[in-house]
Amino acid sequence: MSLLLTGATVIDGVSDTGITGRSILIENGRIVAIGRPDELSVPSDTETVDFSGKFIIPGLMNANVHLLVNALFETLVRYEGRYEDLIAEAAQVALKVGMTTVFDTWGPRRALMSVRDRIDQGELVGSRIRCAGNIIGFDGPFSGDFDSRIPGIGTSHFVDRINATWVENTGRHLMWLTPEAVGEEVRKYIELGIDFVKYASNEHGGISAGAFIQFSERTQRAIVEEAHRAGLTVQSHTSSVEGLRMSIEAGCDLVQHCNMTGPVEIPRETLELLAQGDCGAVVFPLTDHGLSHLKESISDHEWTMWKASDANARNLIDAGAMILLANDGGIFAPEVMQEPLIKGTWNGLPEEEALGRLATGHFVWLRAMEEKGMSPIDLLRAATRNIAKAYRVDDDLGTLEVGKIADMVVLDEDPLQGAKNYQSIHTVIKDGELVNRDALPERPILTADLPAPVEEQARYKRSLHHGERLPGCPTCVSGTH
């Protein structure tokens, strides 16, 4: 099939400005020509679409999503056996909002790879998925690395099965091994078919808030070397200034949420190290309004950490680091969003400020980085070209050039005139085909509304002591309940 796009201003991600008077000719899913209409040799059976007054940009990308982020006990029990359905739903939500390629950096490997392959083979509509499976060095969803409440609530059989689904041979036990032994286990994991490697330079959460180093310097280098030997990119999970520097020196191709370094800012020499090399800097920013809202519900210590992350984002821009858009984007079920577990966190912010939402978080990212001083063309490149370069897929993706895959977004408003204009999506094109956005997601699950109350709920009376303080109750007043 041939497709000719005419009339629009083309913002290709290569030039610093948009170009008018150019048409884009697509054949077999790739761009075969860009030029003035009278200069192009157009096949007779070509479909022409007039986008006069619109703006065409490369398909948006996201350097860090979790298509099954809702890895909570209730969800994993309710949908066991249907994890692929949840991932497919998320991939379709991502495509609907302009993300033609997403990189899933933590999730159940087998299910992710299955959906990835179905999309690549044209059996399923969705954003192009590339996945890492587990984060090397972390245990599963029901562990101290994520949610340690579940062992002892769920049966050990179910808890072990879920953790094994995520971890396989790549969990915390690797911390006890020599660099050579860790490299061997990483090699085995790569052979299962993952697209890139992600490992833990810092721990995930814990009482030290991520400050502890997960792997030694020698082991980190062994992991990086193993990934590169297999022709894959490698990235790290960092949350301290030392974990960040170790990752860069180990040879990582990108570092995740590198602006999150606890209560201290990234040293100038580390900023310069990032700017001088080819290591991509993934940034998680909040808007000024989002930060103000969050400040009202977190501790002083947490606020100190968020202030440092905000300063880091600004300093990374000033240093000239190759910044990548990412947001841990995922879908939580509507009932989960009502829980205290979410409220009071960055995921509990109002929809227009919540960075971690799959459907809207990338728009928050663009507005936040605009506020911090990032230029309009650098915003576009952070969401397209830089990600493709860091993941080494820039031969096919990231810019609008002849020979590349025809992934693009058509906007009603000029994105170079304001980050809010990225939300003016008119059309999404993936692999040279117009996406029917109205049909996505095809099978809503986590995006569906809460079910209507059953008859029994209308008659249900809560216990007087159901999480409430009652006037006159001695134990309520004293707080001993």
Side-chain angles (χ1 to χ4, degrees), residues 188-253:
K188 293 176 183 176
Y189 198 56
I190 289 172
E191 290 171 353
L192 296 176
I194 59 174
D195 298 298
F196 58 93
V197 171
K198 182 180 181 181
Y199 73 89
S201 181
N202 288 99
E203 64 163 352
H204 190 259
I207 59 173
S208 66
F212 289 161
I213 299 296
Q214 190 90 357
F215 286 115
S216 71
E217 182 179 353
R218 289 200 310 144
T219 300
Q220 292 196 35
R221 286 178 174 165
I223 295 170
V224 171
E225 289 170 3
E226 201 60 55
H228 285 171
R229 186 178 296 114
L232 303 185
T233 62
V234 60
Q235 60 186 255
S236 67
H237 163 100
T238 70
S239 51
S240 76
V241 293
E242 191 62 14
L244 171 60
R245 186 179 182 94
M246 289 174 70
S247 299
I248 301 168
E249 292 179 338
C252 280
D253 299 287

Side-chain angles (χ1 to χ4, degrees), residues 279-474:
C279 184
V282 175
V283 174
F284 282 10
L286 293 181
T287 65
D288 293 343
H289 186 261
L291 282 168
S292 298
H293 197 285
L294 186 65
K295 184 180 181 181
E296 299 174 359
S297 58
I298 60 177
S299 68
D300 289 343
H301 178 66
E302 289 174 302
W303 175 240
T304 302
M305 298 172 75
W306 277 105
K307 282 198 302 181
S309 74
D310 185 67
N312 285 337
R314 298 173 189 272
N315 291 339
L316 284 161
I317 295 171
D318 292 341
M322 185 174 73
I323 294 175
L324 279 57
L325 178 152
N327 66 334
D328 262 0
I331 301 172
F332 287 101
E335 62 269 24
V336 173
M337 298 307 299
Q338 299 178 5
E339 288 297 300
L341 173 72
I342 298 296
K343 293 179 179 178
T345 71
W346 65 312
N347 275 314
L349 292 173
E351 184 79 22
E352 65 275 11
E353 307 296 348
L355 180 67
R357 311 287 174 81
L358 184 64
T360 55
H362 56 310
F363 300 135
V364 176
W365 193 100
L366 291 159
R367 289 191 291 108
M369 293 302 280
E370 179 183 58
E371 290 178 352
K372 297 177 204 321
M374 202 167 190
S375 72
I377 191 61
D378 284 338
L379 287 174
L380 176 71
R381 288 169 178 158
T384 55
R385 188 178 76 173
N386 292 358
I387 298 176
K389 181 179 179 182
Y391 278 101
R392 299 183 189 172
V393 294
D394 49 325
D395 284 346
D396 287 321
L397 302 168
T399 56
L400 301 179
E401 298 180 83
V402 172
K404 292 196 173 184
I405 293 173
D407 284 3
M408 53 196 78
V409 178
V410 183
L411 301 173
D412 289 325
E413 306 292 336
D414 185 355
L416 300 184
Q417 295 301 312
K420 68 180 187 303
N421 292 340
Y422 282 91
Q423 295 177 246
S424 67
I425 296 177
H426 180 82
T427 303
V428 174
I429 298 169
K430 177 173 175 279
D431 290 317
E433 296 186 6
L434 303 174
V435 175
N436 182 3
R437 297 173 62 231
D438 293 337
L440 302 179
E442 296 172 336
R443 299 175 61 190
I445 305 171
L446 297 183
T447 54
D449 293 334
L450 277 169
V454 297
E455 180 184 347
E456 291 83 357
Q457 285 179 286
R459 301 195 303 272
Y460 172 58
K461 301 297 183 184
R462 286 187 174 186
S463 166
L464 291 177
H465 289 69
H466 188 80
E468 301 172 359
R469 291 185 178 271
L470 302 179
C473 174

